[in-house]
Amino acid sequence: MFIFDLQISNYRNYGRVGLNLDRGLNLFVGDNAQGKSNLLEAIYLLSTLRSSRASSDADLVRREILHTDFPVARLACQVERSAGNLQLEVAVVGRTTDASHRAGKRVRVNGVPKRASEAVGQLAAVLFTTLDIEIVAGPPLLRRRYLDMMISQVDRGYLRAMQRYARVLQQRNSLLKRIQAREASAAELGFWDQELAHAGGIIMQARGDALGHLVAQGAQQMERLSDGMETLQMTYRPALGGLDETDCPVDETEWTARMLRALANLRYREINAGATLVGPHRDDVTVEIDGMPADSFASRAQQRTAALSMRLAEASYLRRALGDDPVVLLDDVLSELDARRRRGVLEFFESFQQTIVTTAEPDRVRDVMIRASGRFVVAAGAITRFEGE
Ligand code: ATP
Ligand code: MG
């Protein structure tokens, strides 16, 4: 799929911008702090309905209008897809006002109001940023988010299970605390265990499945990018309290059964801790380079190549699951790569319908400039197309 029209108003440092994007490679050049990352964040938000970096919706609304009667940022795009064309609109209300605006996001898909969870993944996208190295070097949370953002774009049931899991987890944890304080009985856990393990089974099944594709793709990409010098191994580590962690069962009922066994095993430890100690909220994916844990042994450059390989694997996963290409967003990542790795990335995406690249250093990515079909300059929240180099 590819975006051919993008409209932005009052989003971050943008006032009003309308753009026609090209099929193929689009390059956005601009000095620091001009709005390049904001632009890609906006596109990724249209895809996932979540910001890749903001902590609150208010951050997304242009500061100058946040305290007016109409504190609303708007994003809209038109997308050509093999599953039928798409028109997508998101309004982000930054602040509740007397003009009867409730804060939060409103979404329309082809003109029809939808819940955010129904609109996720209508536009599929994969975002590369310079922070991606943290997927390899950082805490498990970031690897879970890597999986969640990817799978929820292609599997609505996954997103629903995630939401239910989060609700049940919260209730179960507060029950555990009440049992610990002798305000409730352990017998009440039975119902919540079932609920949690049921939603958990769906999540672990989907994660295990996704890993099946990611492991092979990630290894292949790492080999390609490093000229066969380095190997990447990813392994799904479901948090089941030490039970059956090595092999992946094939269906979700088996995952649910394993989770129920794990919960039963840990009952007293959980009551003591006042918290749920097993389940997908504690899952991890271990990443190894040449057989050693990548977070503690690999060099920064190796970690960066591994993270890049994981993102390439994500793009390939989305393409396979959708039967259509996700839009590829590369925020400032090409200029930090050597020429060989950059070529490896560009070659991989040549067969994708649309790639959108930003850079502050166009001289370092001459190869991208030459191949780009659309070239734009970003300056102080304004975007203009330019021809030539
Ligand atoms: P770099 O090359 O350093 O990565 P960039 O072009 O990617 O720069 P952005 O991250 O897009 O820059 O940020 C551009 C500007 O947007 C920043 O100066 C930031 O202060 C501003 N900005 C962020 N949020 C808002 C907002 N809600 N309202 C107004 N301006 C904002
Ligand atoms: Mg930036």
Side-chain angles (χ1 to χ4, degrees):
M1 63 181 75
F2 66 96
I3 302 169
F4 57 91
D5 182 87
L6 179 68
Q7 304 291 328
I8 298 176
S9 78
N10 292 320
Y11 183 84
R12 296 280 198 185
N13 69 327
Y14 289 102
R16 203 167 238 289
V17 168
L19 278 184
N20 293 314
L21 291 167
D22 291 353
R23 233 186 136 113
L25 191 56
N26 293 265
L27 176 65
F28 289 82
V29 176
D31 290 339
N32 296 136
Q34 303 303 307
K36 301 181 301 296
S37 296
N38 292 344
L39 175 72
L40 295 200
E41 179 195 43
I43 297 173
Y44 198 62
L45 187 135
L46 282 162
S47 167
T48 59
L49 279 304
R50 268 170 65 170
S51 161
S52 45
R53 53 183 184 164
S55 45
S56 81
D57 285 344
D59 295 350
L60 303 175
V61 176
R62 195 171 175 221
R63 244 174 333 248
E64 287 85 334
I65 67 146
L66 186 60
H67 293 284
T68 64
D69 288 344
F70 207 68
V72 186
R74 285 179 192 283
L75 302 172
C77 67
Q78 299 196 60
V79 184
E80 189 171 315
R81 301 185 303 187
S82 59
N85 284 12
L86 166 75
Q87 197 209 337
L88 191 61
E89 297 165 69
V90 176
V92 183
V93 182
R95 194 174 56 83
T96 306
T97 65
D98 296 342
S100 77
H101 275 109
R102 271 181 304 113
K105 297 187 185 78
R106 314 269 187 285
V107 189
R108 280 171 187 268
V109 177
N110 296 326
V112 182
K114 296 274 182 190
R115 266 193 302 221
S117 60
E118 294 171 304
V120 171
Q122 292 281 347
L123 165 67
V126 52
L127 172 64
F128 293 65
T129 79
T130 50
L131 300 175
D132 285 348
I133 192 167
E134 292 302 314
I135 309 173
V136 173
L141 167 71
L142 299 178
R143 286 179 289 280
R144 289 195 295 271
R145 186 176 299 158
Y146 163 76
L147 293 176
D148 293 344
M149 299 295 268
M150 171 175 11
I151 302 169
S152 49
Q153 287 193 45
V154 299
D155 183 350
R156 194 104 333 134
Y158 184 78
L159 199 58
R160 275 198 298 271
M162 288 289 292
Q163 289 168 341
R164 200 167 73 242
Y165 186 86
R167 266 198 313 275
V168 172
L169 181 65
Q170 212 178 18
Q171 276 158 324
R172 189 173 184 276
N173 283 345
S174 68
L175 176 60
L176 284 166
K177 289 194 182 69
R178 280 187 289 123
I179 296 169
Q180 190 191 44
R182 299 183 192 285
E183 292 162 9
S185 108
E188 286 179 57
L189 278 169
F191 170 78
W192 296 107
D193 286 5
Q194 289 288 340
E195 289 287 303
L196 194 74
H198 183 68
I202 297 172
I203 296 166
M204 290 187 284
Q205 163 69 25
R207 287 180 178 174
D209 243 26
L211 255 299
H213 182 78
L214 294 168
V215 166
Q217 266 296 318
Q220 194 183 323
Q221 296 301 340
M222 184 82 174
E223 185 178 344
R224 216 169 54 83
L225 293 178
S226 68
D227 261 352
M229 300 291 283
E230 282 148 18
T231 62
L232 174 68
Q233 175 64 41
M234 286 185 252
T235 313
Y236 180 38
R237 302 285 180 204
L240 290 170
L243 274 179
D244 307 326
E245 278 176 345
T246 43
D247 64 318
C248 275
V250 286
D251 67 9
E252 70 195 43
T253 10
E254 177 56 24
W255 280 112
T256 299
R258 286 188 190 189
M259 188 159 161
L260 282 170
R261 279 202 298 279
L263 289 170
N265 275 356
L266 290 183
R267 174 130 308 179
Y268 294 101
R269 270 178 53 197
E270 289 197 329
I271 293 171
N272 276 327
T276 302
L277 302 175
V278 290
H281 65 294
R282 295 205 163 191
D283 281 358
D284 197 1
V285 175
T286 51
V287 180
E288 290 170 329
I289 299 172
D290 295 337
M292 304 288 266
D295 53 353
S296 44
F297 284 97
S299 75
R300 289 297 278 179
Q302 284 178 314
Q303 289 174 343
R304 191 169 291 133
T305 307
L308 192 61
S309 303
M310 288 173 73
R311 286 288 184 221
L312 293 168
E314 174 180 356
S316 142
Y317 168 86
L318 290 173
R319 168 188 257 184
R320 195 196 57 153
L322 292 165
D324 198 351
D325 297 339
V327 172
V328 179
L329 308 169
L330 300 168
D331 190 11
D332 226 3
V333 292
L334 292 177
S335 40
E336 67 180 20
L337 300 178
D338 61 22
R340 189 184 60 204
R341 284 178 175 74
R342 194 161 61 238
R343 200 166 51 241
V345 173
L346 290 174
E347 275 167 10
F348 182 75
F349 288 125
E350 244 159 32
S351 70
F352 282 63
Q353 290 178 39
Q354 188 171 55
T355 305
I356 302 176
V357 176
T358 69
T359 184
E361 297 171 292
D363 290 341
R364 298 191 58 180
V365 294
R366 307 278 320 155
D367 40 358
V368 184
M369 184 76 94
I370 289 160
R371 295 181 204 212
S373 43
R375 305 184 184 93
F376 305 83
V377 174
V378 183
I383 300 179
T384 44
R385 194 183 264 271
F386 70 97
E387 304 298 332
E389 287 176 23

